[in-house]
Amino acid sequence: MIDLVNISIPNAAGYALLGYLVVFLGLVMLMAVIIIMGKVMHREPKAAPAAAAPAAAPAAAAPVVKAAPAPGSAGDFKLYNTDPRDAAMVMAIVADTLGKPLNELRFISIREVKEDEV
Amino acid sequence: MDILGVLRTLASESGFAAFFLADGGWKNLVMIIIAFVLLYLGIVKKFEPLLLCGIAFGCLLSNLSYFVGMGANALYHPEIWSTFLDSTSPYYHSYGYIMREAGLLDFFYIGVKAGIYPSLIFMGVGAMTDFGPLLARPKSLMLGAAAQLGVFIAFFGAVLLGFTGPQAASIGIIGGADGPTAIFLTTKLAPELLGPIAIAAYSYMALIPLIQPPIMKAMTTDKMRKVKMVQAREVSKTEKIVFPIVVATFVILLLPSTAPLIGCLMLGNLFRECGVTDRLSDTAQNALMNIVTIFLATSVGATMVGDSFLQLQTIYIIILGLVAFAISTAGGSTP
């Protein structure tokens, strides 16, 4: 049994090398788990409409189909630590400052920047 | 009434007298100056101020109230923690003994010793982190693995400098650039080094804008640095909800000793992503995180008592920490 408290220099070198390999191995395994999980998750939405098609039941297949964005919409945008009311005001101010109509601007996300982050 | 005697007692029991009368009292003075410098760096230079202010003030309080052999009114008592960790002592791992003898900062420190604060910080980190880019591009995990190079080189360097195996591992983890992990591991393996390791870890994290750019520049080409990272694919909400559950299950089964940190990290992330616990996610990200940061920073700062901090090994730790940090940066930047 190796004494970890009074570790010798060759043993320390061995442990350092082994430790680094273990980190790689562990993360490769985790990466494999994430890839498998992603593949399983991505297969599910595709499989559902295919299975529903032969049954010719449009009502059953309807929840799977993602609703098309409204005309002129660029889709969802994300709010980070921002109240929707504040976000609406920010968007209105930006549109006003730029002199452009709001529906011609595309907002991807709005994040509150704290004073100490500036 | 012996007014002179009362005044003499008052003077001899004061902290001012202890600087000169107590064994190693001058070390407290040095530590108080260090605390002032850290406060300056935190407040004026804005180096990790949320942590550095607490750490520096904890250090100040500890060195104002504790003098070797005169610890009756101290806020933090290093000797009761030495007894707590001494396997030959009747009070070995006795929290009852701590509760009886403790000062205010000793009570705060129980949360560090029991691994509570780092785990709660991880919960907040989990609630703040969007793992979408990682899910879209799992290969990026390898960058993280490569960035651990400094941990193992610093571990080996620490053994060369005469540190024990557990101490060397605690020093090496500074290269992981993660304060709570460094604190968590050090309290388990080498609690006597907690003060210098925490200071080194948080100082280098604060100095990232100074330390990392020249190393990254040296390790990468101009073309590489101009690559714009875009998310490889859209990640579904379900994937983001399942991710913390799968990772917690897999990693804790693989490495049970990581359960407190990974468990809390993934719980925080589940609060964020599941969509039905917005209040909990908000608390974990803000209120809880802030409260724990106060306790963690103050109690870690309190461990910087002059008698144990002002040693040659503290300088070694600071240097090895920098080496670990720099090599980890180089490892993570290598094409």
Side-chain angles (χ1 to χ4, degrees), chain A residues 4-5 12 16 19-20 27 31 41-42, chain B residues 138 145-146 152 155 164-165 233 242:
Chain A
L4 287 174
V5 174
Y20 198 38
L27 288 175
M31 191 176 80
M41 293 281 161
H42 266 261
Chain B
F152 296 99
F155 164 78
T164 65
R233 65 175 173 88
V242 172

Side-chain angles (χ1 to χ4, degrees), chain B:
Chain B
M1 192 176 169
D2 182 10
I3 295 173
L4 209 62
V6 170
L7 289 176
R8 195 177 294 128
T9 308
L10 193 65
S12 64
E13 285 182 357
S14 78
F16 292 109
F19 286 133
F20 306 101
L21 300 177
D23 185 21
W26 64 272
K27 291 181 178 174
N28 289 54
L29 261 180
V30 174
M31 290 309 296
I32 288 167
I33 293 166
I34 290 175
F36 290 159
V37 172
L38 293 176
L39 279 170
Y40 171 80
L41 293 176
I43 296 167
V44 181
K45 295 289 177 188
K46 294 190 169 48
F47 286 174
E48 291 277 338
L50 298 178
L51 282 158
L52 213 48
C53 288
I55 290 176
F57 214 84
C59 170
L60 180 66
L61 291 176
S62 190
N63 286 284
L64 286 173
S65 65
Y66 175 80
F67 295 90
V68 177
M70 302 169 76
N73 299 312
L75 296 173
Y76 175 79
H77 300 78
E79 74 276 359
I80 69 169
W81 289 102
S82 303
T83 309
F84 180 83
L85 293 170
D86 180 3
S87 57
T88 60
S89 159
Y91 301 115
Y92 178 58
H93 281 186
S94 164
Y95 278 105
Y97 167 69
I98 298 288
M99 301 298 267
R100 200 168 56 245
E101 303 290 332
L104 178 67
L105 296 178
D106 290 307
F107 283 112
F108 285 10
Y109 186 67
I110 291 172
V112 176
K113 194 78 206 89
I116 296 169
Y117 301 150
S119 304
L120 291 178
I121 293 268
F122 260 52
M123 191 185 292
V125 171
M128 284 195 250
T129 307
D130 176 11
F131 283 106
L134 175 72
L135 286 164
R137 201 189 292 269
K139 280 181 193 165
S140 57
L141 269 175
M142 288 300 102
L143 277 177
Q148 303 303 310
L149 182 64
V151 172
F152 296 99
I153 291 183
F155 164 78
F156 184 62
V159 172
L160 284 179
L161 285 173
F163 287 96
T164 65
Q167 287 176 335
S170 303
I171 294 166
I173 204 69
I174 297 171
D178 182 54
T181 308
I183 289 171
F184 185 82
L185 189 76
T186 307
T187 49
K188 303 277 175 207
L189 298 183
E192 69 280 7
L193 300 183
L194 183 64
I197 286 177
I199 285 295
Y202 281 116
S203 305
Y204 295 139
M205 276 159 62
L207 293 171
I208 279 175
L210 294 177
I211 298 171
Q212 290 195 330
I215 300 169
M216 288 170 169
K217 238 178 178 172
M219 302 300 293
T220 54
T221 63
D222 196 40
K223 194 181 163 193
M224 284 173 188
R225 290 194 296 275
K226 282 183 180 160
V227 171
K228 198 173 178 187
M229 296 287 283
V230 287
Q231 193 158 320
R233 65 175 173 88
E234 201 180 322
V235 178
S236 69
K237 188 78 187 160
T238 318
E239 234 177 305
K240 286 187 175 180
I241 295 171
V242 172
F243 173 76
I245 301 167
V246 169
V247 169
T249 308
F250 175 73
V251 176
I252 293 171
L253 286 175
L254 185 70
L255 298 163
S257 59
T258 62
L261 293 182
I262 286 290
C264 286
L265 181 75
M266 291 299 134
L267 176 61
N269 192 246
L270 185 66
F271 286 156
R272 172 198 171 92
E273 301 295 355
C274 70
V276 290
T277 52
D278 286 349
R279 276 167 51 195
L280 302 186
S281 173
D282 177 56
T283 302
Q285 286 182 45
N286 300 296
L288 181 65
M289 190 80 156
N290 291 340
I291 291 168
V292 177
T293 300
I294 293 169
F295 288 144
L296 178 74
T298 319
S299 47
V300 165
T303 63
M304 294 168 64
V305 177
D307 197 45
S308 56
F309 193 87
L310 293 178
Q311 294 182 9
L312 189 61
Q313 67 177 15
T314 302
I315 295 168
Y316 286 157
I317 290 169
I318 303 284
I319 294 168
L320 284 165
L322 181 62
V323 169
F325 215 88
I327 296 175
S328 285
T329 305
S333 315
T334 306

